[in-house]
Amino acid sequence: NNLGELEGILSLGTAEIFWSKTPEYAIVNSYVNLTNDEIGKKYSGFINAVLHNLIRNKKEISSLHWDNKNNFPKKLLQNWERYFGKNLTKEIVDIFSIEPYLDIICSQSMSKKSKNNLIKYLDGKEIYSNVIRSIYRGRVDDIKGFSEGNWWVQDIGSYIHLDIFIKKIKEDKNVKSIENLTFFDACAAPGGKTFQLLDHGFNVISNDIDHERLK
């Protein structure tokens, strides 16, 4: 039991030392006190020594020298290397380690001025018609227009193929009115495709097993 608690305390302490702005002495003191209260005094000296050692060697073991392979299970890496080879596996690991972009889809009702203002606010780029890509890292619901439904979050990979499908439907001479069409969106949460279809005037029934995600 103590081993699990010690691992947890060391993980939290290490994370704070490397990524928080809290003074290092305060971090050490807080986790030494936590260890003392939760596990016992005999372990608090161990935590104190390890955290101080991390602080002394912070530059040498920083993320600048971190191998992205350490973020993946060894068994998975072995399988990839067996099938793809070491060089391609390294490329795959590096790609998967890049923090993802935020793709935002602008409603057709959004004015060109509003869209340009959103692009400027996000420091983004329109990579496809009505698709803004950015590296925005704040709260999504803090972005202007969220509550009004002027835009929604949807990965471009999810957006493009449905966009092509919608255009094909609108070009189909056998489809007299899109208002007569109803889509059933299974596993719909978080709702990107539902919003996309609604934005084009289709009727949509959205279904998902998770009631919280449906909300």
Side-chain angles (χ1 to χ4, degrees):
N1 291 340
N2 289 338
L3 181 60
E5 292 181 8
L6 283 170
E7 286 180 351
I9 289 170
L10 283 174
S11 296
L12 291 169
T14 301
E16 282 206 53
I17 287 170
F18 282 94
W19 292 302
S20 77
K21 295 181 180 179
T22 306
E24 291 167 346
Y25 72 88
I27 295 171
V28 175
N29 285 343
S30 65
Y31 285 104
V32 166
N33 291 336
L34 177 64
T35 306
N36 189 40
D37 294 340
E38 297 296 326
I39 308 176
K41 192 172 182 180
K42 68 176 181 177
Y43 293 104
S44 60
F46 168 73
I47 294 296
N48 181 65
V50 172
L51 294 182
H52 271 114
N53 197 37
L54 285 171
I55 292 168
R56 281 193 295 270
N57 296 282
K58 190 174 179 179
K59 289 183 178 179
E60 287 73 18
I61 56 177
S62 72
S63 56
L64 294 173
H65 308 287
W66 181 259
D67 189 339
N68 286 329
K69 284 186 176 182
N70 294 330
N71 297 326
F72 295 79
K74 289 183 179 179
K75 187 74 174 178
L76 178 63
L77 290 172
Q78 289 170 358
N79 287 338
W80 283 355
E81 288 178 352
R82 189 180 303 118
Y83 287 106
F84 304 121
K86 289 190 176 182
N87 291 335
L88 185 54
T89 295
K90 185 181 183 307
E91 290 182 29
I92 292 170
V93 166
D94 289 341
I95 289 171
F96 282 170
S97 299
I98 298 171
E99 192 167 357
Y101 294 102
L102 175 70
D103 288 344
I104 279 180
I105 313 301
C106 298
S107 170
Q108 293 184 105
S109 63
M110 199 171 182
S111 69
K112 188 174 181 179
K113 182 180 178 181
S114 295
K115 183 165 70 174
N116 288 335
N117 286 340
L118 183 59
I119 292 171
K120 186 177 179 180
Y121 174 81
L122 294 170
D123 192 22
K125 184 178 180 180
E126 190 170 6
I127 59 171
Y128 186 85
S129 180
N130 287 331
V131 181
I132 300 173
R133 170 164 286 181
S134 79
I135 54 171
Y136 178 81
R137 294 291 178 257
R139 287 177 57 91
V140 171
D141 52 3
D142 285 341
I143 304 172
K144 188 176 181 180
F146 173 80
S147 299
E148 293 78 7
N150 293 336
W151 52 265
W152 61 92
V153 175
Q154 185 181 359
D155 186 84
I156 191 171
S158 165
Y159 175 84
I160 288 180
H161 70 273
L162 190 54
D163 183 59
I164 294 170
F165 183 55
I166 289 169
K167 287 174 181 175
K168 290 289 184 183
I169 291 175
K170 290 185 175 181
E171 292 169 1
D172 191 337
K173 295 179 181 178
N174 294 318
V175 179
K176 295 180 180 180
S177 173
I178 61 173
E179 293 177 358
N180 295 329
L181 297 176
T182 298
F183 281 85
F184 183 80
D185 190 355
C187 306
K193 294 185 186 72
T194 289
F195 300 147
Q196 188 178 353
L197 290 164
L198 289 172
D199 195 51
H200 282 272
F202 293 101
N203 295 312
V204 188
I205 297 173
S206 299
N207 179 65
D208 199 276
I209 195 170
D210 190 323
H211 289 271
E212 289 304 311
R213 284 168 66 80
L214 272 178
K215 290 177 184 178

